[in-house]
Amino acid sequence: MYRTALRNVLAHKGRLLMTALAVMLGTAFVAGTMVFSDTFGKALRDSNSKSYSDVAVQVVDRSAGSGASAKQKSEGGSATLTDDTVQQLASLPGAAGARGVAGGFTGVADKKGNLIGQVWAAKGANFAPGQDGRDPRYPMAEGQGPKNAQEIALDRKTADKGGYKVGDTVRVAANGPVIEAKLTGVFTTDDPVVNTGGTLTLFDKATAQQTLLEPGRYSSIVLTAKPGTSQDALLAEVQPKVSGHQFDVETGAQLQADEQAQITKGTDSMRTMLLVFAFISLFVGIFIIANTFTMLVAQRTRELALLRAIGASRKQVTRSVLIEALVIGTVSAAAGLLAGVGIGAGMQSLIGSLDENMPNGSLVVKPLTIVVTLVVGVLVTVMSALLPAMRAARIAPVAAMSSGDQPASQKSLVVRNTIGSVLAGGGLALIGYGASTGDDSGRLPVGAGAFLALIGVFVLLPLLSRPVVALVGPLLRLLGGTPGKLAQQNAVRNPRRTAATAAALTIGLTLVTGLTVIGTSVGDTIDRAVTKSMKADYIVSTADGMNLSGQVPAQIAKTPGVAASSPMVAAYWKLDGTSKAITGLDPAAFEQIAEIKLTSGSVDALGKGQLLVDQDVATKFNVTTGSTMTATFPDGSTGPLAVGGVYEKGGMLGPVLLANSEITKHDPKPYVADVLVKGKDGATAELKQALKDATGANPVIEVKSKQDVRDDFSQVITFALNLMYGLLGMAVLIAVLGVINTLAMSVFERKREIGMLRAIGLDRRGIKRMVRLESVVISLFGAGIGLLLGCFIAWAINGTLKSSLAGLTTVLPYGQLALFLGLAGLVGLVAAIWPARRAAKLDILASIKTD
């Protein structure tokens, strides 16, 4: 039986090719994901390994930095890290030295005034030279370190990106006015932020403290240990000196371990996401493998019956089919492992080509990767072949000898349809319940329901195939004539096979459709949020999302071409005991820069110091126009605020509006998030440049039109969707292989039938058309079910997002959905090319004589 199984593999290697390819592609995705994540993670860890090589103990002031709020600073007490603290820690018995670090956000402008690099990776720090005038952390490749407020130094990569040389004037900015300074030095550094594309600007100590913190203050202190003193021993000496304050004290080893753990967590998350798509591909492959072995067993019914007749037991027949699967799975998984190593190397190279700052390293192939890939490939193949193997064992030795195909019993179809109906009905009910919650508590029911519904629909696909394919029968006869009618009959002749082939495409289209509908819906909601309430032509804000300098609104108001402007102030006050976000605007400019749809009251109420609230707030607090709410102000005092109007929710203005003048009464230095600007001649390039110039061509300040804001959001959504499409592409490719496989084996089964059709006058072109139309029908059937299921699941997921994204509604992108359906039809045509040619080339007499 073992020899028979191996001979069968060799005898049917052509028919098993697509199955082997499906397994190979799926396992290659798994192996490639693991190789890439291991390689990328090691490269990141190696890149960051020197971050704390010169740190024995580090003391960090959590309240330091321009991003700390007044509340945070007050909670941290009056103690800060100063030169006295540095000297006190440097004098500890185990300390070899201590240096103060004044660090914070600093953006660098290129020669056009634009920010170099990413805003989150723009850093500034103090240059701390020793007696020799050098700072060992930042060795100068050219020039020297800064010595006064008119001088700075830049890292080599930033200087090269900006086209700067020693002696040039460079514009930099933190959270304040632009600084124009002379570039006195260009240095090299192993700082991981710089190595991954960030920028680092060095100031002299006094300027760094003044610009990034406050005079005399440090954000952290780094200590080195004397020979023979361990990091833990030095830590024990430091802790009593800084206890009781808002300081974090850690050893260099712990800091490095924490950073390595963060990198590992990040790469693990990336690997998990990629593996999800890899297993989706394998799941699609299961249908192809099971379909292939089902067809092989059907084709070999007489052969297996003969084996039973000469003494083979049911276990031996089952085992022989599983051995075939084991051989195919082992060979395919081994090939997939080799291909996966290549995929991992390719992904690493792709990351490097997309971003030259990404760390690179040698390829990492762990034993775990090898074991997982081989085990997964073999298990998926063997488990997929298990049911066909059990069916093979049930073939009656005598009855099967007269038939090449054993139809499913009516009882089995009834049981299958009953199970499928229960699963699909239960899944749809769970999805509906999850969507009705309107918040994230419904995500688990929606996820579980989507899984059950998907399985239920797969089980019901044979039942659905006949009526659905019958609907397109008239169109097939119109387009294809007799070949079209034959294609329709062939598509429903074996519903199980049609369903198994279509299921692979159903999975891919369900996921692609769901992601597209969600992305379109979110994009539409964000677009409406920007356009619905914003009449302003431009939004001026900081690139890092920090507070705009108090000078900016006044500078913008004086800019030529500005018709109206208003700072958009953000505050968080308690209203009737509940903290609410309050947006402040200038009443005089309100109707020119913003728009709301009032259900009661008037916009003029803003000028009277009254609140405007949206419908959700009005309902939650049971207030209407004319009601009074009790406000708790930042200084702890309370007072009444009248409600002057209620407006429809949605938009970027938030739930509560109040005049800026009312907010500044209780908070003299409020948080200015943006400045809204209306131009005399609308949004023009001249006005945009004038606004940029008015703010000092500050690299940290961005001037965006409504379209720019839309583009920023849509770019993120489009990138995410394209990434998902790319990852799902493997599953769709495997689904295509399934269609090819099914058609090729179907042609083999129907050789006599095709020969008879040729003998009675159907020409080769007609045979090709018949096979192609059958392929298109199967592809469109699977894609259509996937489109409907994907839209329904997307609607449910959108329902769970409503609490976190106000105004979210489900938007169906009919154009894209039609495109997906058209592409599915094209997939069917492409998949049928080889089987159709093969069918058309069959010899008439040889085919008729086929036994």
Side-chain angles (χ1 to χ4, degrees):
M1 291 301 295
Y2 293 119
R3 287 195 297 271
T4 300
L6 293 175
R7 280 199 300 270
N8 282 330
V9 172
L10 296 175
H12 303 113
K13 54 182 177 290
R15 285 181 250 170
L16 293 168
L17 176 62
M18 297 303 169
T19 298
L21 279 174
V23 178
M24 188 197 78
L25 288 173
T27 52
F29 203 164
V30 172
T33 293
M34 298 182 73
V35 169
F36 169 67
S37 58
D38 290 337
T39 301
F40 188 62
K42 183 177 184 298
L44 277 176
R45 287 190 290 273
D46 290 346
S47 174
N48 285 270
S49 61
K50 298 178 182 179
S51 300
Y52 302 101
S53 57
D54 62 341
V55 178
V57 174
Q58 180 174 269
V59 182
V60 178
D61 182 355
R62 292 201 305 272
S63 68
S66 57
S69 68
K71 181 180 178 183
Q72 288 174 318
K73 292 177 182 179
S74 65
E75 288 176 349
S78 58
T80 58
L81 299 177
T82 63
D83 285 324
D84 289 341
T85 318
V86 173
Q87 293 172 8
Q88 185 181 17
L89 296 179
S91 64
L92 291 172
R99 69 171 186 269
V101 177
F105 168 78
T106 304
V108 183
D110 61 18
K111 293 185 177 180
K112 295 181 180 179
N114 298 316
L115 182 70
I116 298 176
Q118 299 296 323
V119 66
W120 54 267
K123 293 171 54 179
N126 59 308
F127 181 69
Q131 296 293 331
D132 58 357
R134 298 178 181 179
D135 187 335
R137 297 173 298 167
Y138 310 114
M140 292 292 159
E142 298 177 28
Q144 61 184 13
K147 296 181 179 179
N148 55 56
Q150 285 73 47
E151 297 178 348
I152 62 165
L154 293 176
D155 67 271
R156 166 61 71 190
K157 290 184 177 181
T158 302
D160 289 345
K161 287 177 184 176
Y164 292 120
K165 297 179 181 178
V166 173
D168 288 348
T169 298
V170 182
R171 300 169 64 83
V172 298
N175 191 35
V178 174
I179 299 171
E180 291 191 352
K182 180 181 178 181
L183 181 64
T184 61
V186 176
F187 59 90
T188 58
T189 177
D190 55 12
D191 188 309
V193 173
V194 175
N195 290 338
T196 54
T199 62
L200 180 57
T201 306
L202 296 182
F203 304 91
D204 69 285
K205 183 180 75 172
T207 305
Q209 291 176 329
Q210 174 70 39
T211 304
L212 306 177
L213 300 166
E214 56 188 53
R217 187 176 185 183
Y218 294 106
S219 55
S220 63
I221 296 175
V222 174
L223 290 87
T224 53
K226 287 181 179 177
T229 302
S230 68
Q231 292 186 0
D232 289 334
L234 182 57
L235 178 68
E237 294 179 11
V238 172
Q239 283 177 328
K241 300 294 184 182
V242 296
S243 62
H245 305 300
Q246 195 173 347
F247 300 146
D248 288 331
V249 187
E250 291 185 275
T251 63
Q254 184 60 49
L255 289 166
Q256 186 164 337
D258 291 344
E259 192 162 274
Q260 300 284 6
Q262 284 291 102
I263 292 171
T264 301
K265 183 178 179 181
T267 53
D268 284 350
S269 298
M270 175 185 65
R271 173 158 60 181
T272 300
M273 183 191 73
L274 292 174
L275 282 176
V276 166
F277 287 93
F279 282 108
I280 288 172
S281 299
L282 284 170
F283 186 57
V284 171
I286 287 173
F287 292 93
I288 297 172
I289 299 165
N291 208 17
T292 300
F293 277 96
T294 298
M295 293 163 71
L296 283 175
V297 167
Q299 291 171 9
R300 288 160 44 202
T301 297
R302 291 189 179 184
E303 175 190 328
L304 295 172
L306 181 61
L307 290 173
R308 290 292 313 284
I310 62 176
S313 67
R314 288 188 174 186
K315 286 185 178 180
Q316 286 179 309
V317 172
T318 302
R319 200 176 297 136
S320 70
V321 176
L322 292 179
I323 288 171
E324 291 181 50
L326 178 65
V327 172
I328 295 167
T330 303
V331 173
S332 302
L337 176 63
L338 295 176
V341 173
I343 289 173
M347 291 173 73
Q348 183 74 357
S349 299
L350 177 63
I351 290 292
S353 64
L354 293 176
D355 189 342
E356 61 181 10
N357 298 300
M358 283 292 103
N360 206 347
S362 57
L363 213 59
V364 178
V365 184
K366 293 183 177 179
L368 179 64
T369 301
I370 298 173
V371 172
V372 168
T373 304
L374 294 177
V375 169
V376 166
V378 171
L379 273 180
V380 166
T381 311
V382 173
M383 294 304 293
S384 301
L386 183 59
L387 191 58
M390 293 171 64
R391 285 178 183 161
R394 290 199 295 266
I395 295 174
V398 177
M401 288 187 183
S402 61
S403 174
D405 193 7
Q406 298 297 309
S409 67
Q410 187 67 28
K411 179 182 176 182
S412 68
L413 289 175
V414 170
V415 171
R416 175 176 181 145
N417 293 337
T418 302
I419 293 173
S421 298
V422 171
L423 288 174
L428 294 176
L430 272 175
I431 292 173
Y433 166 74
S436 67
T437 61
D439 55 36
D440 55 9
S441 65
R443 291 174 192 173
L444 182 59
V446 168
F451 178 75
L452 288 177
L454 202 58
I455 298 299
V457 168
F458 292 159
V459 176
L460 288 174
L461 280 178
L463 177 66
L464 297 172
S465 63
R466 289 184 182 275
V468 173
V469 174
L471 289 175
V472 298
L475 181 62
L476 287 174
R477 288 192 290 271
L478 179 65
L479 294 176
T482 299
K485 182 177 180 180
L486 291 170
Q488 179 200 357
Q489 294 172 348
N490 290 334
V492 296
R493 177 185 298 183
N494 191 328
R496 289 178 183 269
R497 184 181 303 169
T498 297
T501 306
L505 280 170
T506 299
I507 297 171
L509 265 295
T510 297
L511 295 171
V512 168
T513 301
L515 290 170
T516 302
V517 172
I518 292 171
T520 303
S521 302
V522 171
D524 176 75
T525 302
I526 292 171
D527 184 59
R528 283 188 287 108
V530 173
T531 57
K532 180 180 178 181
S533 57
M534 180 178 165
K535 293 170 69 176
D537 295 312
Y538 288 103
I539 301 175
V540 181
S541 58
T542 59
D544 60 350
M546 298 302 296
N547 187 14
L548 275 169
S549 170
Q551 303 170 351
V552 172
Q555 292 170 338
I556 289 173
K558 298 175 183 177
T559 304
V562 172
S565 67
S566 169
M568 194 170 174
V569 173
Y572 285 87
W573 293 357
K574 283 187 176 180
L575 296 177
D576 287 351
T578 302
S579 181
K580 296 298 295 182
I582 298 176
T583 302
L585 290 168
D586 288 342
F590 185 87
E591 292 191 348
Q592 290 179 275
I593 61 172
E595 183 176 18
I596 55 175
K597 189 172 181 180
L598 288 163
T599 58
S600 65
S602 169
V603 172
D604 295 337
L606 280 179
K608 301 174 184 177
Q610 296 177 347
L611 294 170
L612 296 180
V613 300
D614 72 11
Q615 289 176 327
D616 280 358
V617 173
T619 302
K620 181 178 179 181
F621 291 89
N622 194 26
V623 295
T624 59
T625 300
S627 299
T628 300
M629 303 184 76
T630 301
T632 303
F633 305 116
D635 59 5
S637 63
T638 60
L641 286 176
V643 176
V646 179
Y647 57 93
E648 291 183 359
K649 66 175 294 187
M652 62 179 290
L653 297 180
V656 182
L657 297 176
L658 188 62
N660 280 337
S661 56
E662 294 298 314
I663 294 178
T664 54
K665 284 180 183 179
H666 305 282
D667 188 356
K669 293 184 178 180
Y671 185 92
V672 181
D674 310 281
V675 178
L676 303 183
V677 181
K678 183 70 176 177
K680 293 178 181 177
D681 300 318
T684 63
E686 292 77 14
L687 177 58
K688 185 173 184 177
Q689 187 59 51
L691 291 171
K692 189 74 176 173
D693 294 340
T695 56
N698 192 320
V700 179
I701 293 180
E702 295 180 330
V703 180
K704 292 184 178 181
S705 65
K706 285 193 285 189
Q707 191 59 48
D708 292 334
V709 176
R710 287 193 195 106
D711 292 343
D712 285 346
F713 283 113
S714 62
Q715 186 176 14
V716 173
I717 294 171
T718 302
F719 174 78
L721 286 176
N722 288 340
L723 176 63
M724 297 300 179
Y725 293 157
L727 294 173
L728 287 171
M730 186 72 77
V732 175
L733 176 60
I734 292 174
V736 173
L737 293 177
V739 178
I740 296 173
N741 202 19
T742 298
L743 289 173
M745 300 188 76
S746 180
V747 167
F748 176 82
E749 284 184 345
R750 303 203 306 258
K751 286 173 71 175
R752 176 181 291 177
E753 177 186 315
I754 292 172
M756 291 295 295
L757 289 172
R758 292 275 287 113
I760 62 175
L762 190 63
D763 59 11
R764 292 187 174 183
R765 183 177 297 177
I767 294 293
K768 286 183 179 180
R769 187 180 304 156
M770 177 186 72
V771 175
R772 287 170 184 161
L773 288 175
E774 179 184 352
S775 176
V776 170
V777 167
I778 293 173
S779 298
L780 289 178
F781 168 60
I785 298 295
L787 282 175
L788 293 174
L789 192 55
C791 289
F792 183 68
I793 293 173
W795 166 80
I797 293 174
N798 284 340
T800 68
L801 296 173
K802 287 182 178 178
S803 61
S804 53
L805 192 57
L808 178 64
T809 57
T810 299
V811 177
L812 297 180
Y814 294 105
Q816 285 179 275
L817 297 181
L819 177 63
F820 293 156
L821 207 56
L823 289 175
L826 183 62
V827 162
L829 279 177
V830 172
I833 291 175
W834 178 57
R837 289 172 59 87
R838 184 180 178 187
K841 289 182 178 179
L842 289 175
D843 182 84
I844 298 176
L845 293 178
S847 299
I848 294 174
K849 290 192 299 180
T850 298
D851 186 23

